[in-house]
Amino acid sequence: MSKNIFAIPGSLRAGSSNHSILKIIGDMIPGSINYQIYDGLSSIPPFDPGLDNDTPPQPITDLRNLITNADAIIICTPEYAYGVPGQLKNAIDWMVSSGSFSGKLTALITASTGGENAHTALLKILGAVDAVVPAEVTLLISYIRSKMNAEGMVTDKETAEGIRRVVNALQHYSGSSAPAE
Ligand SMILES: Cc1cc2nc3c(=O)[nH]c(=O)nc-3n(C[C@H](O)[C@H](O)[C@H](O)COP(=O)(O)O)c2cc1C
């Protein structure tokens, strides 16, 4: 059966550099792997423990299923106000009780102006939901706007190599052998 890689962008911005990185990754991943970029983050309601029961809002059920059915997850996000973007943290909060991330191979790319705070916080958060995050599938890209052109292509060689390294390691850990194209 072909592998599924599910990518979650932390930015809702049209033309987001984090979306562009996830598109670049889609071009690197062999066609034999199903690769889906999540576009439902804005439809996730604010986390309410009172609604976190057997019948949560439909977007929550959908996201839980997408994560559960994935062989690997890629989160690619900016930092806002020295932290994790609220909409991304909110979505992960809904995943705590379902255990959707538990044991799930998860890559983390933080592409931001600085990004260290969100990156560090997300590593902790992913630990809290029991995701598996090997160091080789993590990447902090600071000054992202200066490393990408207007067409959303990465122009910085080291950054391009870092993204390729993450994709190759993710495929290695998920048991899909072919290196990134
Ligand atoms: C409201 C706001 C707050 C921000 N705060 C930070 C910050 O604390 N640290 C940082 O590294 N970048 C910060 N940034 C810059 C973003 O990380 C940067 O614009 C990034 O490119 C956004 O990602 P995107 O291109 O995927 O939308 C902030 C941007 C906005 C709009």
Side-chain angles (χ1 to χ4, degrees), residues 39-66:
D39 64 0
L41 198 60
S42 62
S43 68
I44 299 289
F47 177 62
D48 179 347
L51 299 178
D52 190 9
N53 49 36
D54 289 345
T55 53
Q58 191 60 42
I60 307 306
T61 305
D62 293 343
L63 180 58
R64 287 175 176 173
N65 288 337
L66 285 163

mmCIF file of all heavy atoms in Angstrom, residues 39-66:
data_model
loop_
_atom_site.group_PDB
_atom_site.id
_atom_site.type_symbol
_atom_site.label_atom_id
_atom_site.label_comp_id
_atom_site.label_asym_id
_atom_site.label_seq_id
_atom_site.Cartn_x
_atom_site.Cartn_y
_atom_site.Cartn_z
ATOM 1 N N ASP A 39 -5.852 22.075 4.107
ATOM 2 C CA ASP A 39 -6.329 23.448 3.869
ATOM 3 C C ASP A 39 -7.515 23.785 4.778
ATOM 4 O O ASP A 39 -8.267 24.716 4.487
ATOM 5 C CB ASP A 39 -6.689 23.663 2.394
ATOM 6 C CG ASP A 39 -7.851 22.785 1.952
ATOM 7 O OD1 ASP A 39 -8.370 22.015 2.785
ATOM 8 O OD2 ASP A 39 -8.240 22.875 0.772
ATOM 9 N N GLY A 40 -7.647 23.028 5.867
ATOM 10 C CA GLY A 40 -8.820 23.224 6.720
ATOM 11 C C GLY A 40 -8.550 23.910 8.050
ATOM 12 O O GLY A 40 -9.441 23.982 8.903
ATOM 13 N N LEU A 41 -7.331 24.441 8.210
ATOM 14 C CA LEU A 41 -6.991 24.978 9.533
ATOM 15 C C LEU A 41 -7.938 26.095 9.977
ATOM 16 O O LEU A 41 -8.306 26.177 11.147
ATOM 17 C CB LEU A 41 -5.541 25.487 9.526
ATOM 18 C CG LEU A 41 -4.892 25.675 10.896
ATOM 19 C CD1 LEU A 41 -4.837 24.368 11.677
ATOM 20 C CD2 LEU A 41 -3.492 26.250 10.752
ATOM 21 N N SER A 42 -8.368 26.923 9.021
ATOM 22 C CA SER A 42 -9.243 28.046 9.390
ATOM 23 C C SER A 42 -10.651 27.577 9.784
ATOM 24 O O SER A 42 -11.424 28.356 10.340
ATOM 25 C CB SER A 42 -9.330 29.060 8.251
ATOM 26 O OG SER A 42 -9.888 28.452 7.116
ATOM 27 N N SER A 43 -10.983 26.323 9.500
ATOM 28 C CA SER A 43 -12.321 25.825 9.853
ATOM 29 C C SER A 43 -12.348 25.123 11.212
ATOM 30 O O SER A 43 -13.401 24.654 11.654
ATOM 31 C CB SER A 43 -12.830 24.858 8.773
ATOM 32 O OG SER A 43 -12.052 23.688 8.785
ATOM 33 N N ILE A 44 -11.188 25.063 11.876
ATOM 34 C CA ILE A 44 -11.139 24.417 13.198
ATOM 35 C C ILE A 44 -11.670 25.383 14.254
ATOM 36 O O ILE A 44 -11.126 26.477 14.427
ATOM 37 C CB ILE A 44 -9.679 24.010 13.541
ATOM 38 C CG1 ILE A 44 -9.141 23.004 12.522
ATOM 39 C CG2 ILE A 44 -9.578 23.460 14.956
ATOM 40 C CD1 ILE A 44 -9.729 21.631 12.580
ATOM 41 N N PRO A 45 -12.738 25.023 14.967
ATOM 42 C CA PRO A 45 -13.272 25.937 15.980
ATOM 43 C C PRO A 45 -12.340 26.053 17.184
ATOM 44 O O PRO A 45 -11.486 25.193 17.390
ATOM 45 C CB PRO A 45 -14.598 25.273 16.382
ATOM 46 C CG PRO A 45 -14.448 23.841 16.014
ATOM 47 C CD PRO A 45 -13.481 23.764 14.867
ATOM 48 N N PRO A 46 -12.510 27.105 17.982
ATOM 49 C CA PRO A 46 -11.688 27.236 19.193
ATOM 50 C C PRO A 46 -11.863 26.006 20.085
ATOM 51 O O PRO A 46 -12.982 25.503 20.228
ATOM 52 C CB PRO A 46 -12.253 28.486 19.879
ATOM 53 C CG PRO A 46 -12.989 29.216 18.817
ATOM 54 C CD PRO A 46 -13.475 28.206 17.834
ATOM 55 N N PHE A 47 -10.761 25.564 20.648
ATOM 56 C CA PHE A 47 -10.818 24.357 21.479
ATOM 57 C C PHE A 47 -11.736 24.556 22.673
ATOM 58 O O PHE A 47 -11.636 25.550 23.397
ATOM 59 C CB PHE A 47 -9.420 23.987 21.972
ATOM 60 C CG PHE A 47 -9.422 22.792 22.879
ATOM 61 C CD1 PHE A 47 -9.858 21.557 22.413
ATOM 62 C CD2 PHE A 47 -9.025 22.904 24.204
ATOM 63 C CE1 PHE A 47 -9.884 20.448 23.253
ATOM 64 C CE2 PHE A 47 -9.045 21.802 25.044
ATOM 65 C CZ PHE A 47 -9.472 20.574 24.565
ATOM 66 N N ASP A 48 -12.647 23.608 22.844
ATOM 67 C CA ASP A 48 -13.590 23.640 23.965
ATOM 68 C C ASP A 48 -13.630 22.243 24.585
ATOM 69 O O ASP A 48 -14.170 21.313 23.973
ATOM 70 C CB ASP A 48 -14.978 24.040 23.439
ATOM 71 C CG ASP A 48 -16.031 24.069 24.537
ATOM 72 O OD1 ASP A 48 -15.766 23.560 25.646
ATOM 73 O OD2 ASP A 48 -17.133 24.592 24.274
ATOM 74 N N PRO A 49 -13.051 22.080 25.762
ATOM 75 C CA PRO A 49 -13.043 20.746 26.380
ATOM 76 C C PRO A 49 -14.453 20.178 26.538
ATOM 77 O O PRO A 49 -14.641 18.962 26.522
ATOM 78 C CB PRO A 49 -12.392 20.988 27.751
ATOM 79 C CG PRO A 49 -11.629 22.248 27.590
ATOM 80 C CD PRO A 49 -12.371 23.083 26.590
ATOM 81 N N GLY A 50 -15.439 21.069 26.643
ATOM 82 C CA GLY A 50 -16.822 20.610 26.789
ATOM 83 C C GLY A 50 -17.366 19.945 25.529
ATOM 84 O O GLY A 50 -18.339 19.198 25.579
ATOM 85 N N LEU A 51 -16.742 20.245 24.383
ATOM 86 C CA LEU A 51 -17.176 19.627 23.111
ATOM 87 C C LEU A 51 -16.238 18.496 22.684
ATOM 88 O O LEU A 51 -16.436 17.878 21.639
ATOM 89 C CB LEU A 51 -17.210 20.678 21.992
ATOM 90 C CG LEU A 51 -18.169 21.851 22.186
ATOM 91 C CD1 LEU A 51 -18.039 22.826 21.013
ATOM 92 C CD2 LEU A 51 -19.604 21.352 22.311
ATOM 93 N N ASP A 52 -15.217 18.275 23.525
ATOM 94 C CA ASP A 52 -14.204 17.273 23.182
ATOM 95 C C ASP A 52 -14.681 15.902 23.669
ATOM 96 O O ASP A 52 -14.154 15.335 24.623
ATOM 97 C CB ASP A 52 -12.868 17.671 23.833
ATOM 98 C CG ASP A 52 -11.726 16.821 23.325
ATOM 99 O OD1 ASP A 52 -11.923 16.053 22.359
ATOM 100 O OD2 ASP A 52 -10.626 16.932 23.911
ATOM 101 N N ASN A 53 -15.731 15.410 22.996
ATOM 102 C CA ASN A 53 -16.330 14.134 23.403
ATOM 103 C C ASN A 53 -16.372 13.187 22.196
ATOM 104 O O ASN A 53 -15.618 13.371 21.257
ATOM 105 C CB ASN A 53 -17.737 14.395 23.955
ATOM 106 C CG ASN A 53 -18.538 15.271 23.004
ATOM 107 O OD1 ASN A 53 -18.401 15.141 21.794
ATOM 108 N ND2 ASN A 53 -19.349 16.164 23.554
ATOM 109 N N ASP A 54 -17.280 12.216 22.211
ATOM 110 C CA ASP A 54 -17.333 11.226 21.116
ATOM 111 C C ASP A 54 -17.821 11.829 19.803
ATOM 112 O O ASP A 54 -17.608 11.255 18.739
ATOM 113 C CB ASP A 54 -18.260 10.058 21.488
ATOM 114 C CG ASP A 54 -17.633 9.194 22.561
ATOM 115 O OD1 ASP A 54 -16.405 9.337 22.778
ATOM 116 O OD2 ASP A 54 -18.359 8.402 23.181
ATOM 117 N N THR A 55 -18.505 12.956 19.874
ATOM 118 C CA THR A 55 -19.014 13.590 18.649
ATOM 119 C C THR A 55 -18.557 15.055 18.587
ATOM 120 O O THR A 55 -19.374 15.976 18.731
ATOM 121 C CB THR A 55 -20.555 13.521 18.578
ATOM 122 O OG1 THR A 55 -21.080 14.048 19.802
ATOM 123 C CG2 THR A 55 -21.047 12.101 18.387
ATOM 124 N N PRO A 56 -17.269 15.267 18.377
ATOM 125 C CA PRO A 56 -16.767 16.650 18.290
ATOM 126 C C PRO A 56 -17.218 17.277 16.975
ATOM 127 O O PRO A 56 -17.759 16.587 16.111
ATOM 128 C CB PRO A 56 -15.249 16.449 18.315
ATOM 129 C CG PRO A 56 -15.029 15.121 17.709
ATOM 130 C CD PRO A 56 -16.215 14.287 18.114
ATOM 131 N N PRO A 57 -17.007 18.587 16.779
ATOM 132 C CA PRO A 57 -17.349 19.220 15.502
ATOM 133 C C PRO A 57 -16.705 18.469 14.327
ATOM 134 O O PRO A 57 -15.592 17.935 14.461
ATOM 135 C CB PRO A 57 -16.774 20.631 15.652
ATOM 136 C CG PRO A 57 -16.729 20.866 17.133
ATOM 137 C CD PRO A 57 -16.443 19.540 17.752
ATOM 138 N N GLN A 58 -17.400 18.449 13.180
ATOM 139 C CA GLN A 58 -16.951 17.652 12.024
ATOM 140 C C GLN A 58 -15.509 17.947 11.590
ATOM 141 O O GLN A 58 -14.747 17.009 11.298
ATOM 142 C CB GLN A 58 -17.917 17.852 10.851
ATOM 143 C CG GLN A 58 -17.684 16.866 9.701
ATOM 144 C CD GLN A 58 -17.837 15.400 10.121
ATOM 145 O OE1 GLN A 58 -18.759 15.059 10.868
ATOM 146 N NE2 GLN A 58 -16.931 14.551 9.672
ATOM 147 N N PRO A 59 -15.082 19.235 11.551
ATOM 148 C CA PRO A 59 -13.690 19.481 11.124
ATOM 149 C C PRO A 59 -12.668 18.800 12.046
ATOM 150 O O PRO A 59 -11.570 18.450 11.604
ATOM 151 C CB PRO A 59 -13.553 21.005 11.202
ATOM 152 C CG PRO A 59 -14.941 21.532 11.144
ATOM 153 C CD PRO A 59 -15.808 20.499 11.803
ATOM 154 N N ILE A 60 -13.053 18.606 13.299
ATOM 155 C CA ILE A 60 -12.135 17.939 14.242
ATOM 156 C C ILE A 60 -12.043 16.454 13.907
ATOM 157 O O ILE A 60 -10.949 15.879 13.847
ATOM 158 C CB ILE A 60 -12.624 18.117 15.706
ATOM 159 C CG1 ILE A 60 -12.856 19.595 16.022
ATOM 160 C CG2 ILE A 60 -11.651 17.476 16.680
ATOM 161 C CD1 ILE A 60 -11.693 20.504 15.751
ATOM 162 N N THR A 61 -13.196 15.837 13.678
ATOM 163 C CA THR A 61 -13.209 14.421 13.292
ATOM 164 C C THR A 61 -12.398 14.228 12.013
ATOM 165 O O THR A 61 -11.590 13.294 11.903
ATOM 166 C CB THR A 61 -14.661 13.948 13.068
ATOM 167 O OG1 THR A 61 -15.396 14.228 14.255
ATOM 168 C CG2 THR A 61 -14.728 12.467 12.761
ATOM 169 N N ASP A 62 -12.606 15.133 11.050
ATOM 170 C CA ASP A 62 -11.888 15.018 9.772
ATOM 171 C C ASP A 62 -10.374 15.113 9.990
ATOM 172 O O ASP A 62 -9.612 14.309 9.447
ATOM 173 C CB ASP A 62 -12.335 16.133 8.808
ATOM 174 C CG ASP A 62 -13.781 15.974 8.380
ATOM 175 O OD1 ASP A 62 -14.348 14.872 8.554
ATOM 176 O OD2 ASP A 62 -14.360 16.965 7.869
ATOM 177 N N LEU A 63 -9.949 16.097 10.783
ATOM 178 C CA LEU A 63 -8.504 16.270 11.004
ATOM 179 C C LEU A 63 -7.919 15.079 11.758
ATOM 180 O O LEU A 63 -6.837 14.586 11.422
ATOM 181 C CB LEU A 63 -8.238 17.579 11.768
ATOM 182 C CG LEU A 63 -6.762 17.872 12.057
ATOM 183 C CD1 LEU A 63 -5.930 17.936 10.774
ATOM 184 C CD2 LEU A 63 -6.617 19.184 12.828
ATOM 185 N N ARG A 64 -8.643 14.596 12.743
ATOM 186 C CA ARG A 64 -8.163 13.413 13.478
ATOM 187 C C ARG A 64 -7.974 12.234 12.528
ATOM 188 O O ARG A 64 -6.976 11.515 12.607
ATOM 189 C CB ARG A 64 -9.147 13.057 14.597
ATOM 190 C CG ARG A 64 -9.086 14.033 15.758
ATOM 191 C CD ARG A 64 -10.148 13.734 16.806
ATOM 192 N NE ARG A 64 -9.996 14.641 17.951
ATOM 193 C CZ ARG A 64 -10.853 14.706 18.960
ATOM 194 N NH1 ARG A 64 -11.936 13.939 18.970
ATOM 195 N NH2 ARG A 64 -10.631 15.546 19.957
ATOM 196 N N ASN A 65 -8.936 12.029 11.625
ATOM 197 C CA ASN A 65 -8.829 10.909 10.674
ATOM 198 C C ASN A 65 -7.645 11.101 9.727
ATOM 199 O O ASN A 65 -6.921 10.143 9.422
ATOM 200 C CB ASN A 65 -10.124 10.763 9.866
ATOM 201 C CG ASN A 65 -11.253 10.216 10.722
ATOM 202 O OD1 ASN A 65 -11.007 9.569 11.741
ATOM 203 N ND2 ASN A 65 -12.491 10.479 10.330
ATOM 204 N N LEU A 66 -7.453 12.326 9.261
ATOM 205 C CA LEU A 66 -6.344 12.587 8.336
ATOM 206 C C LEU A 66 -5.002 12.288 9.012
ATOM 207 O O LEU A 66 -4.099 11.714 8.400
ATOM 208 C CB LEU A 66 -6.391 14.045 7.854
ATOM 209 C CG LEU A 66 -7.485 14.348 6.827
ATOM 210 C CD1 LEU A 66 -7.740 15.851 6.713
ATOM 211 C CD2 LEU A 66 -7.100 13.775 5.462
#
